[in-house]
PDB file of all heavy atoms in Angstrom:
ATOM      1  N   ASN H  27     125.861 -13.820-136.119  1.00  0.00           N
ATOM      2  CA  ASN H  27     125.435 -14.412-137.386  1.00  0.00           C
ATOM      3  C   ASN H  27     123.985 -14.869-137.260  1.00  0.00           C
ATOM      4  O   ASN H  27     123.685 -16.072-137.242  1.00  0.00           O
ATOM      5  CB  ASN H  27     126.344 -15.587-137.752  1.00  0.00           C
ATOM      6  CG  ASN H  27     126.239 -15.967-139.214  1.00  0.00           C
ATOM      7  OD1 ASN H  27     125.213 -15.718-139.853  1.00  0.00           O
ATOM      8  ND2 ASN H  27     127.279 -16.578-139.753  1.00  0.00           N
ATOM      9  N   PRO H  28     123.056 -13.912-137.165  1.00  0.00           N
ATOM     10  CA  PRO H  28     121.659 -14.269-136.894  1.00  0.00           C
ATOM     11  C   PRO H  28     121.028 -15.157-137.954  1.00  0.00           C
ATOM     12  O   PRO H  28     120.181 -16.002-137.640  1.00  0.00           O
ATOM     13  CB  PRO H  28     120.955 -12.913-136.799  1.00  0.00           C
ATOM     14  CG  PRO H  28     121.856 -11.949-137.508  1.00  0.00           C
ATOM     15  CD  PRO H  28     123.243 -12.453-137.285  1.00  0.00           C
ATOM     16  N   ASP H  29     121.412 -14.986-139.204  1.00  0.00           N
ATOM     17  CA  ASP H  29     120.817 -15.809-140.267  1.00  0.00           C
ATOM     18  C   ASP H  29     121.169 -17.277-140.088  1.00  0.00           C
ATOM     19  O   ASP H  29     120.328 -18.160-140.302  1.00  0.00           O
ATOM     20  CB  ASP H  29     121.277 -15.316-141.641  1.00  0.00           C
ATOM     21  CG  ASP H  29     120.701 -13.951-141.998  1.00  0.00           C
ATOM     22  OD1 ASP H  29     119.681 -13.574-141.391  1.00  0.00           O
ATOM     23  OD2 ASP H  29     121.280 -13.279-142.868  1.00  0.00           O
ATOM     24  N   LEU H  30     122.412 -17.548-139.695  1.00  0.00           N
ATOM     25  CA  LEU H  30     122.840 -18.929-139.478  1.00  0.00           C
ATOM     26  C   LEU H  30     122.129 -19.540-138.274  1.00  0.00           C
ATOM     27  O   LEU H  30     121.789 -20.729-138.269  1.00  0.00           O
ATOM     28  CB  LEU H  30     124.356 -18.969-139.283  1.00  0.00           C
ATOM     29  CG  LEU H  30     125.078 -20.302-139.546  1.00  0.00           C
ATOM     30  CD1 LEU H  30     124.692 -20.875-140.898  1.00  0.00           C
ATOM     31  CD2 LEU H  30     126.583 -20.099-139.456  1.00  0.00           C
ATOM     32  N   VAL H  31     121.880 -18.718-137.265  1.00  0.00           N
ATOM     33  CA  VAL H  31     121.147 -19.181-136.080  1.00  0.00           C
ATOM     34  C   VAL H  31     119.700 -19.505-136.460  1.00  0.00           C
ATOM     35  O   VAL H  31     119.170 -20.568-136.110  1.00  0.00           O
ATOM     36  CB  VAL H  31     121.205 -18.121-134.961  1.00  0.00           C
ATOM     37  CG1 VAL H  31     120.328 -18.529-133.779  1.00  0.00           C
ATOM     38  CG2 VAL H  31     122.645 -17.908-134.504  1.00  0.00           C
ATOM     39  N   ARG H  32     119.072 -18.615-137.197  1.00  0.00           N
ATOM     40  CA  ARG H  32     117.678 -18.840-137.625  1.00  0.00           C
ATOM     41  C   ARG H  32     117.567 -20.073-138.513  1.00  0.00           C
ATOM     42  O   ARG H  32     116.563 -20.807-138.457  1.00  0.00           O
ATOM     43  CB  ARG H  32     117.151 -17.619-138.374  1.00  0.00           C
ATOM     44  CG  ARG H  32     116.897 -16.403-137.500  1.00  0.00           C
ATOM     45  CD  ARG H  32     116.123 -15.317-138.240  1.00  0.00           C
ATOM     46  NE  ARG H  32     116.010 -14.110-137.428  1.00  0.00           N
ATOM     47  CZ  ARG H  32     116.857 -13.082-137.506  1.00  0.00           C
ATOM     48  NH1 ARG H  32     117.867 -13.113-138.372  1.00  0.00           N
ATOM     49  NH2 ARG H  32     116.703 -12.023-136.720  1.00  0.00           N
ATOM     50  N   ALA H  33     118.582 -20.317-139.327  1.00  0.00           N
ATOM     51  CA  ALA H  33     118.552 -21.477-140.224  1.00  0.00           C
ATOM     52  C   ALA H  33     118.485 -22.789-139.450  1.00  0.00           C
ATOM     53  O   ALA H  33     118.058 -23.816-139.996  1.00  0.00           O
ATOM     54  CB  ALA H  33     119.778 -21.465-141.129  1.00  0.00           C
ATOM     55  N   ASN H  34     118.871 -22.754-138.174  1.00  0.00           N
ATOM     56  CA  ASN H  34     118.793 -23.940-137.328  1.00  0.00           C
ATOM     57  C   ASN H  34     117.588 -23.913-136.391  1.00  0.00           C
ATOM     58  O   ASN H  34     117.535 -24.671-135.413  1.00  0.00           O
ATOM     59  CB  ASN H  34     120.088 -24.079-136.532  1.00  0.00           C
ATOM     60  CG  ASN H  34     121.224 -24.625-137.379  1.00  0.00           C
ATOM     61  OD1 ASN H  34     121.246 -25.809-137.711  1.00  0.00           O
ATOM     62  ND2 ASN H  34     122.150 -23.757-137.764  1.00  0.00           N
ATOM     63  N   GLY H  35     116.633 -23.030-136.686  1.00  0.00           N
ATOM     64  CA  GLY H  35     115.373 -23.021-135.954  1.00  0.00           C
ATOM     65  C   GLY H  35     115.371 -22.238-134.663  1.00  0.00           C
ATOM     66  O   GLY H  35     114.430 -22.339-133.868  1.00  0.00           O
ATOM     67  N   VAL H  36     116.416 -21.432-134.443  1.00  0.00           N
ATOM     68  CA  VAL H  36     116.549 -20.682-133.196  1.00  0.00           C
ATOM     69  C   VAL H  36     116.361 -19.197-133.472  1.00  0.00           C
ATOM     70  O   VAL H  36     116.855 -18.673-134.479  1.00  0.00           O
ATOM     71  CB  VAL H  36     117.933 -20.934-132.553  1.00  0.00           C
ATOM     72  CG1 VAL H  36     118.080 -20.137-131.261  1.00  0.00           C
ATOM     73  CG2 VAL H  36     118.132 -22.424-132.311  1.00  0.00           C
ATOM     74  N   ASP H  37     115.628 -18.513-132.575  1.00  0.00           N
ATOM     75  CA  ASP H  37     115.422 -17.073-132.699  1.00  0.00           C
ATOM     76  C   ASP H  37     116.559 -16.351-131.971  1.00  0.00           C
ATOM     77  O   ASP H  37     116.632 -16.394-130.733  1.00  0.00           O
ATOM     78  CB  ASP H  37     114.076 -16.684-132.088  1.00  0.00           C
ATOM     79  CG  ASP H  37     113.730 -15.214-132.329  1.00  0.00           C
ATOM     80  OD1 ASP H  37     114.651 -14.428-132.643  1.00  0.00           O
ATOM     81  OD2 ASP H  37     112.542 -14.856-132.188  1.00  0.00           O
ATOM     82  N   PRO H  38     117.452 -15.678-132.698  1.00  0.00           N
ATOM     83  CA  PRO H  38     118.601 -15.020-132.049  1.00  0.00           C
ATOM     84  C   PRO H  38     118.212 -13.821-131.194  1.00  0.00           C
ATOM     85  O   PRO H  38     119.024 -13.325-130.403  1.00  0.00           O
ATOM     86  CB  PRO H  38     119.479 -14.598-133.227  1.00  0.00           C
ATOM     87  CG  PRO H  38     118.527 -14.452-134.368  1.00  0.00           C
ATOM     88  CD  PRO H  38     117.462 -15.470-134.156  1.00  0.00           C
ATOM     89  N   ASP H  39     116.972 -13.360-131.341  1.00  0.00           N
ATOM     90  CA  ASP H  39     116.519 -12.198-130.578  1.00  0.00           C
ATOM     91  C   ASP H  39     115.883 -12.582-129.247  1.00  0.00           C
ATOM     92  O   ASP H  39     115.510 -11.705-128.461  1.00  0.00           O
ATOM     93  CB  ASP H  39     115.523 -11.387-131.414  1.00  0.00           C
ATOM     94  CG  ASP H  39     116.152 -10.855-132.701  1.00  0.00           C
ATOM     95  OD1 ASP H  39     117.331 -10.435-132.639  1.00  0.00           O
ATOM     96  OD2 ASP H  39     115.484 -10.885-133.749  1.00  0.00           O
ATOM     97  N   LYS H  40     115.751 -13.881-128.996  1.00  0.00           N
ATOM     98  CA  LYS H  40     115.192 -14.349-127.727  1.00  0.00           C
ATOM     99  C   LYS H  40     116.275 -15.003-126.875  1.00  0.00           C
ATOM    100  O   LYS H  40     117.287 -15.488-127.390  1.00  0.00           O
ATOM    101  CB  LYS H  40     114.069 -15.370-127.987  1.00  0.00           C
ATOM    102  CG  LYS H  40     112.815 -14.783-128.612  1.00  0.00           C
ATOM    103  CD  LYS H  40     111.741 -15.859-128.755  1.00  0.00           C
ATOM    104  CE  LYS H  40     110.460 -15.292-129.333  1.00  0.00           C
ATOM    105  NZ  LYS H  40     109.426 -16.349-129.507  1.00  0.00           N
ATOM    106  N   ARG H  41     116.044 -15.012-125.579  1.00  0.00           N
ATOM    107  CA  ARG H  41     116.991 -15.662-124.672  1.00  0.00           C
ATOM    108  C   ARG H  41     117.025 -17.169-124.939  1.00  0.00           C
ATOM    109  O   ARG H  41     116.022 -17.771-125.333  1.00  0.00           O
ATOM    110  CB  ARG H  41     116.609 -15.406-123.218  1.00  0.00           C
ATOM    111  CG  ARG H  41     116.717 -13.947-122.806  1.00  0.00           C
ATOM    112  CD  ARG H  41     116.604 -13.804-121.288  1.00  0.00           C
ATOM    113  NE  ARG H  41     115.300 -14.246-120.780  1.00  0.00           N
ATOM    114  CZ  ARG H  41     115.001 -14.391-119.485  1.00  0.00           C
ATOM    115  NH1 ARG H  41     115.936 -14.140-118.569  1.00  0.00           N
ATOM    116  NH2 ARG H  41     113.800 -14.767-119.113  1.00  0.00           N
ATOM    117  N   SER H  42     118.181 -17.764-124.672  1.00  0.00           N
ATOM    118  CA  SER H  42     118.293 -19.205-124.914  1.00  0.00           C
ATOM    119  C   SER H  42     119.297 -19.843-123.965  1.00  0.00           C
ATOM    120  O   SER H  42     120.284 -19.224-123.564  1.00  0.00           O
ATOM    121  CB  SER H  42     118.699 -19.496-126.364  1.00  0.00           C
ATOM    122  OG  SER H  42     119.973 -18.939-126.646  1.00  0.00           O
ATOM    123  N   VAL H  43     119.005 -21.082-123.618  1.00  0.00           N
ATOM    124  CA  VAL H  43     119.949 -21.970-122.938  1.00  0.00           C
ATOM    125  C   VAL H  43     120.337 -23.024-123.963  1.00  0.00           C
ATOM    126  O   VAL H  43     119.481 -23.702-124.523  1.00  0.00           O
ATOM    127  CB  VAL H  43     119.322 -22.636-121.695  1.00  0.00           C
ATOM    128  CG1 VAL H  43     120.235 -23.743-121.160  1.00  0.00           C
ATOM    129  CG2 VAL H  43     119.047 -21.600-120.619  1.00  0.00           C
ATOM    130  N   VAL H  44     121.638 -23.153-124.209  1.00  0.00           N
ATOM    131  CA  VAL H  44     122.123 -24.031-125.282  1.00  0.00           C
ATOM    132  C   VAL H  44     122.945 -25.175-124.701  1.00  0.00           C
ATOM    133  O   VAL H  44     123.781 -24.977-123.817  1.00  0.00           O
ATOM    134  CB  VAL H  44     122.958 -23.231-126.302  1.00  0.00           C
ATOM    135  CG1 VAL H  44     123.605 -24.161-127.329  1.00  0.00           C
ATOM    136  CG2 VAL H  44     122.085 -22.198-127.011  1.00  0.00           C
ATOM    137  N   PHE H  45     122.681 -26.362-125.224  1.00  0.00           N
ATOM    138  CA  PHE H  45     123.471 -27.562-124.921  1.00  0.00           C
ATOM    139  C   PHE H  45     124.087 -28.055-126.214  1.00  0.00           C
ATOM    140  O   PHE H  45     123.415 -28.112-127.249  1.00  0.00           O
ATOM    141  CB  PHE H  45     122.570 -28.652-124.323  1.00  0.00           C
ATOM    142  CG  PHE H  45     123.219 -30.018-124.247  1.00  0.00           C
ATOM    143  CD1 PHE H  45     123.889 -30.420-123.108  1.00  0.00           C
ATOM    144  CD2 PHE H  45     123.146 -30.912-125.319  1.00  0.00           C
ATOM    145  CE1 PHE H  45     124.493 -31.676-123.031  1.00  0.00           C
ATOM    146  CE2 PHE H  45     123.736 -32.167-125.254  1.00  0.00           C
ATOM    147  CZ  PHE H  45     124.411 -32.545-124.107  1.00  0.00           C
ATOM    148  N   VAL H  46     125.364 -28.435-126.162  1.00  0.00           N
ATOM    149  CA  VAL H  46     126.033 -29.034-127.316  1.00  0.00           C
ATOM    150  C   VAL H  46     126.746 -30.292-126.849  1.00  0.00           C
ATOM    151  O   VAL H  46     127.557 -30.244-125.922  1.00  0.00           O
ATOM    152  CB  VAL H  46     127.064 -28.074-127.958  1.00  0.00           C
ATOM    153  CG1 VAL H  46     127.795 -28.765-129.105  1.00  0.00           C
ATOM    154  CG2 VAL H  46     126.387 -26.800-128.452  1.00  0.00           C
ATOM    155  N   GLY H  47     126.442 -31.418-127.474  1.00  0.00           N
ATOM    156  CA  GLY H  47     127.135 -32.646-127.085  1.00  0.00           C
ATOM    157  C   GLY H  47     126.504 -33.882-127.687  1.00  0.00           C
ATOM    158  O   GLY H  47     125.375 -33.847-128.195  1.00  0.00           O
ATOM    159  N   ARG H  48     127.247 -34.964-127.618  1.00  0.00           N
ATOM    160  CA  ARG H  48     126.712 -36.247-128.062  1.00  0.00           C
ATOM    161  C   ARG H  48     125.683 -36.749-127.045  1.00  0.00           C
ATOM    162  O   ARG H  48     125.692 -36.351-125.879  1.00  0.00           O
ATOM    163  CB  ARG H  48     127.838 -37.268-128.213  1.00  0.00           C
ATOM    164  CG  ARG H  48     128.777 -36.977-129.376  1.00  0.00           C
ATOM    165  CD  ARG H  48     129.938 -37.958-129.424  1.00  0.00           C
ATOM    166  NE  ARG H  48     130.802 -37.827-128.259  1.00  0.00           N
ATOM    167  CZ  ARG H  48     131.041 -38.795-127.389  1.00  0.00           C
ATOM    168  NH1 ARG H  48     130.461 -39.971-127.529  1.00  0.00           N
ATOM    169  NH2 ARG H  48     131.855 -38.593-126.361  1.00  0.00           N
ATOM    170  N   ILE H  49     124.795 -37.612-127.512  1.00  0.00           N
ATOM    171  CA  ILE H  49     123.785 -38.183-126.624  1.00  0.00           C
ATOM    172  C   ILE H  49     124.373 -39.433-125.980  1.00  0.00           C
ATOM    173  O   ILE H  49     124.298 -40.544-126.515  1.00  0.00           O
ATOM    174  CB  ILE H  49     122.486 -38.499-127.401  1.00  0.00           C
ATOM    175  CG1 ILE H  49     121.926 -37.222-128.044  1.00  0.00           C
ATOM    176  CG2 ILE H  49     121.443 -39.113-126.467  1.00  0.00           C
ATOM    177  CD1 ILE H  49     120.737 -37.456-128.954  1.00  0.00           C
ATOM    178  N   THR H  50     125.010 -39.217-124.855  1.00  0.00           N
ATOM    179  CA  THR H  50     125.610 -40.306-124.085  1.00  0.00           C
ATOM    180  C   THR H  50     125.260 -40.103-122.620  1.00  0.00           C
ATOM    181  O   THR H  50     124.885 -38.996-122.202  1.00  0.00           O
ATOM    182  CB  THR H  50     127.144 -40.314-124.218  1.00  0.00           C
ATOM    183  OG1 THR H  50     127.671 -39.169-123.538  1.00  0.00           O
ATOM    184  CG2 THR H  50     127.586 -40.259-125.675  1.00  0.00           C
ATOM    185  N   GLN H  51     125.412 -41.162-121.852  1.00  0.00           N
ATOM    186  CA  GLN H  51     125.102 -41.039-120.423  1.00  0.00           C
ATOM    187  C   GLN H  51     125.979 -39.995-119.752  1.00  0.00           C
ATOM    188  O   GLN H  51     125.528 -39.261-118.876  1.00  0.00           O
ATOM    189  CB  GLN H  51     125.268 -42.400-119.735  1.00  0.00           C
ATOM    190  CG  GLN H  51     124.196 -43.405-120.128  1.00  0.00           C
ATOM    191  CD  GLN H  51     124.041 -44.508-119.098  1.00  0.00           C
ATOM    192  OE1 GLN H  51     124.100 -44.271-117.894  1.00  0.00           O
ATOM    193  NE2 GLN H  51     123.820 -45.726-119.566  1.00  0.00           N
ATOM    194  N   GLN H  52     127.246 -39.927-120.163  1.00  0.00           N
ATOM    195  CA  GLN H  52     128.167 -39.041-119.458  1.00  0.00           C
ATOM    196  C   GLN H  52     127.834 -37.568-119.653  1.00  0.00           C
ATOM    197  O   GLN H  52     128.204 -36.732-118.827  1.00  0.00           O
ATOM    198  CB  GLN H  52     129.603 -39.321-119.897  1.00  0.00           C
ATOM    199  CG  GLN H  52     129.932 -38.898-121.310  1.00  0.00           C
ATOM    200  CD  GLN H  52     131.281 -39.414-121.780  1.00  0.00           C
ATOM    201  OE1 GLN H  52     131.485 -40.619-121.852  1.00  0.00           O
ATOM    202  NE2 GLN H  52     132.184 -38.516-122.114  1.00  0.00           N
ATOM    203  N   LYS H  53     127.144 -37.216-120.744  1.00  0.00           N
ATOM    204  CA  LYS H  53     126.842 -35.807-121.020  1.00  0.00           C
ATOM    205  C   LYS H  53     125.653 -35.283-120.211  1.00  0.00           C
ATOM    206  O   LYS H  53     125.420 -34.075-120.163  1.00  0.00           O
ATOM    207  CB  LYS H  53     126.586 -35.589-122.509  1.00  0.00           C
ATOM    208  CG  LYS H  53     127.784 -35.897-123.399  1.00  0.00           C
ATOM    209  CD  LYS H  53     128.990 -35.027-123.080  1.00  0.00           C
ATOM    210  CE  LYS H  53     130.175 -35.339-123.981  1.00  0.00           C
ATOM    211  NZ  LYS H  53     131.376 -34.544-123.633  1.00  0.00           N
ATOM    212  N   GLY H  54     124.896 -36.185-119.587  1.00  0.00           N
ATOM    213  CA  GLY H  54     123.869 -35.759-118.634  1.00  0.00           C
ATOM    214  C   GLY H  54     122.664 -35.046-119.218  1.00  0.00           C
ATOM    215  O   GLY H  54     121.958 -34.326-118.495  1.00  0.00           O
ATOM    216  N   LEU H  55     122.389 -35.225-120.502  1.00  0.00           N
ATOM    217  CA  LEU H  55     121.280 -34.509-121.138  1.00  0.00           C
ATOM    218  C   LEU H  55     119.929 -34.765-120.473  1.00  0.00           C
ATOM    219  O   LEU H  55     119.125 -33.823-120.331  1.00  0.00           O
ATOM    220  CB  LEU H  55     121.228 -34.860-122.627  1.00  0.00           C
ATOM    221  CG  LEU H  55     120.166 -34.171-123.478  1.00  0.00           C
ATOM    222  CD1 LEU H  55     120.195 -32.657-123.316  1.00  0.00           C
ATOM    223  CD2 LEU H  55     120.324 -34.559-124.954  1.00  0.00           C
ATOM    224  N   PRO H  56     119.609 -35.983-120.036  1.00  0.00           N
ATOM    225  CA  PRO H  56     118.314 -36.183-119.363  1.00  0.00           C
ATOM    226  C   PRO H  56     118.108 -35.285-118.144  1.00  0.00           C
ATOM    227  O   PRO H  56     116.975 -34.846-117.873  1.00  0.00           O
ATOM    228  CB  PRO H  56     118.342 -37.668-118.972  1.00  0.00           C
ATOM    229  CG  PRO H  56     119.221 -38.299-120.002  1.00  0.00           C
ATOM    230  CD  PRO H  56     120.301 -37.273-120.251  1.00  0.00           C
ATOM    231  N   TYR H  57     119.187 -34.990-117.414  1.00  0.00           N
ATOM    232  CA  TYR H  57     119.051 -34.121-116.233  1.00  0.00           C
ATOM    233  C   TYR H  57     118.711 -32.691-116.655  1.00  0.00           C
ATOM    234  O   TYR H  57     117.901 -32.024-116.011  1.00  0.00           O
ATOM    235  CB  TYR H  57     120.342 -34.142-115.405  1.00  0.00           C
ATOM    236  CG  TYR H  57     120.790 -35.540-115.042  1.00  0.00           C
ATOM    237  CD1 TYR H  57     121.984 -36.060-115.528  1.00  0.00           C
ATOM    238  CD2 TYR H  57     120.001 -36.360-114.228  1.00  0.00           C
ATOM    239  CE1 TYR H  57     122.400 -37.339-115.214  1.00  0.00           C
ATOM    240  CE2 TYR H  57     120.402 -37.646-113.912  1.00  0.00           C
ATOM    241  CZ  TYR H  57     121.599 -38.136-114.412  1.00  0.00           C
ATOM    242  OH  TYR H  57     121.989 -39.416-114.104  1.00  0.00           O
ATOM    243  N   LEU H  58     119.304 -32.233-117.749  1.00  0.00           N
ATOM    244  CA  LEU H  58     118.986 -30.901-118.254  1.00  0.00           C
ATOM    245  C   LEU H  58     117.530 -30.830-118.705  1.00  0.00           C
ATOM    246  O   LEU H  58     116.836 -29.831-118.446  1.00  0.00           O
ATOM    247  CB  LEU H  58     119.919 -30.532-119.411  1.00  0.00           C
ATOM    248  CG  LEU H  58     119.608 -29.210-120.128  1.00  0.00           C
ATOM    249  CD1 LEU H  58     119.712 -28.027-119.165  1.00  0.00           C
ATOM    250  CD2 LEU H  58     120.548 -29.016-121.318  1.00  0.00           C
ATOM    251  N   LEU H  59     117.060 -31.871-119.379  1.00  0.00           N
ATOM    252  CA  LEU H  59     115.678 -31.869-119.857  1.00  0.00           C
ATOM    253  C   LEU H  59     114.684 -31.822-118.698  1.00  0.00           C
ATOM    254  O   LEU H  59     113.616 -31.207-118.816  1.00  0.00           O
ATOM    255  CB  LEU H  59     115.431 -33.109-120.728  1.00  0.00           C
ATOM    256  CG  LEU H  59     116.129 -33.065-122.094  1.00  0.00           C
ATOM    257  CD1 LEU H  59     116.118 -34.440-122.748  1.00  0.00           C
ATOM    258  CD2 LEU H  59     115.461 -32.038-123.001  1.00  0.00           C
ATOM    259  N   LYS H  60     115.043 -32.432-117.587  1.00  0.00           N
ATOM    260  CA  LYS H  60     114.176 -32.357-116.403  1.00  0.00           C
ATOM    261  C   LYS H  60     114.278 -30.988-115.741  1.00  0.00           C
ATOM    262  O   LYS H  60     113.266 -30.423-115.307  1.00  0.00           O
ATOM    263  CB  LYS H  60     114.546 -33.468-115.419  1.00  0.00           C
ATOM    264  CG  LYS H  60     114.247 -34.866-115.963  1.00  0.00           C
ATOM    265  CD  LYS H  60     114.792 -35.964-115.062  1.00  0.00           C
ATOM    266  CE  LYS H  60     114.545 -37.341-115.675  1.00  0.00           C
ATOM    267  NZ  LYS H  60     115.115 -38.439-114.860  1.00  0.00           N
ATOM    268  N   ALA H  61     115.491 -30.437-115.693  1.00  0.00           N
ATOM    269  CA  ALA H  61     115.683 -29.115-115.096  1.00  0.00           C
ATOM    270  C   ALA H  61     114.987 -28.032-115.909  1.00  0.00           C
ATOM    271  O   ALA H  61     114.533 -27.009-115.358  1.00  0.00           O
ATOM    272  CB  ALA H  61     117.174 -28.807-114.987  1.00  0.00           C
ATOM    273  N   ALA H  62     114.883 -28.232-117.221  1.00  0.00           N
ATOM    274  CA  ALA H  62     114.318 -27.213-118.111  1.00  0.00           C
ATOM    275  C   ALA H  62     112.853 -26.918-117.833  1.00  0.00           C
ATOM    276  O   ALA H  62     112.338 -25.883-118.268  1.00  0.00           O
ATOM    277  CB  ALA H  62     114.489 -27.651-119.569  1.00  0.00           C
ATOM    278  N   ARG H  63     112.184 -27.789-117.113  1.00  0.00           N
ATOM    279  CA  ARG H  63     110.784 -27.514-116.733  1.00  0.00           C
ATOM    280  C   ARG H  63     110.665 -26.259-115.873  1.00  0.00           C
ATOM    281  O   ARG H  63     109.596 -25.650-115.794  1.00  0.00           O
ATOM    282  CB  ARG H  63     110.202 -28.715-115.977  1.00  0.00           C
ATOM    283  CG  ARG H  63     109.962 -29.935-116.872  1.00  0.00           C
ATOM    284  CD  ARG H  63     109.500 -31.137-116.068  1.00  0.00           C
ATOM    285  NE  ARG H  63     109.075 -32.213-116.952  1.00  0.00           N
ATOM    286  CZ  ARG H  63     107.824 -32.450-117.338  1.00  0.00           C
ATOM    287  NH1 ARG H  63     106.850 -31.665-116.877  1.00  0.00           N
ATOM    288  NH2 ARG H  63     107.517 -33.436-118.155  1.00  0.00           N
ATOM    289  N   GLU H  64     111.779 -25.881-115.228  1.00  0.00           N
ATOM    290  CA  GLU H  64     111.763 -24.725-114.335  1.00  0.00           C
ATOM    291  C   GLU H  64     112.236 -23.441-115.009  1.00  0.00           C
ATOM    292  O   GLU H  64     112.292 -22.385-114.368  1.00  0.00           O
ATOM    293  CB  GLU H  64     112.654 -25.003-113.113  1.00  0.00           C
ATOM    294  CG  GLU H  64     112.319 -26.282-112.366  1.00  0.00           C
ATOM    295  CD  GLU H  64     110.875 -26.323-111.901  1.00  0.00           C
ATOM    296  OE1 GLU H  64     110.372 -25.272-111.454  1.00  0.00           O
ATOM    297  OE2 GLU H  64     110.243 -27.393-112.014  1.00  0.00           O
ATOM    298  N   LEU H  65     112.577 -23.494-116.294  1.00  0.00           N
ATOM    299  CA  LEU H  65     113.040 -22.293-116.996  1.00  0.00           C
ATOM    300  C   LEU H  65     111.873 -21.356-117.290  1.00  0.00           C
ATOM    301  O   LEU H  65     110.732 -21.814-117.489  1.00  0.00           O
ATOM    302  CB  LEU H  65     113.717 -22.675-118.313  1.00  0.00           C
ATOM    303  CG  LEU H  65     115.036 -23.442-118.239  1.00  0.00           C
ATOM    304  CD1 LEU H  65     115.496 -23.828-119.644  1.00  0.00           C
ATOM    305  CD2 LEU H  65     116.100 -22.626-117.523  1.00  0.00           C
ATOM    306  N   PRO H  66     112.117 -20.051-117.358  1.00  0.00           N
ATOM    307  CA  PRO H  66     111.059 -19.113-117.768  1.00  0.00           C
ATOM    308  C   PRO H  66     110.509 -19.496-119.155  1.00  0.00           C
ATOM    309  O   PRO H  66     111.249 -19.988-120.012  1.00  0.00           O
ATOM    310  CB  PRO H  66     111.777 -17.763-117.808  1.00  0.00           C
ATOM    311  CG  PRO H  66     112.934 -17.923-116.885  1.00  0.00           C
ATOM    312  CD  PRO H  66     113.368 -19.352-117.011  1.00  0.00           C
ATOM    313  N   SER H  67     109.234 -19.240-119.349  1.00  0.00           N
ATOM    314  CA  SER H  67     108.569 -19.699-120.577  1.00  0.00           C
ATOM    315  C   SER H  67     109.110 -19.045-121.838  1.00  0.00           C
ATOM    316  O   SER H  67     109.018 -19.611-122.935  1.00  0.00           O
ATOM    317  CB  SER H  67     107.067 -19.441-120.477  1.00  0.00           C
ATOM    318  OG  SER H  67     106.820 -18.056-120.290  1.00  0.00           O
TER     319      SER H  67
END
């Protein structure tokens, strides 16, 4: 459903790492944001 993906600001034709979750300590989002510095551009 590429149109629905684009409607949320994401390019469906490009590679992506996706996180889904509430912003809580247990979900560990800050660690992902730090790890993301090492992802391909």
Side-chain angles (χ1 to χ4, degrees):
N27 198 335
D29 291 340
L30 202 51
V31 174
R32 289 191 186 94
N34 283 287
V36 179
D37 187 341
D39 299 321
K40 291 183 178 178
R41 295 192 297 171
S42 62
V43 170
V44 173
F45 168 93
V46 177
R48 291 176 295 120
I49 301 174
T50 69
Q51 290 202 39
Q52 70 190 62
K53 297 299 180 183
L55 182 52
Y57 307 115
L58 174 61
L59 289 166
K60 294 172 183 177
R63 289 175 171 265
E64 306 303 320
L65 293 176
S67 59

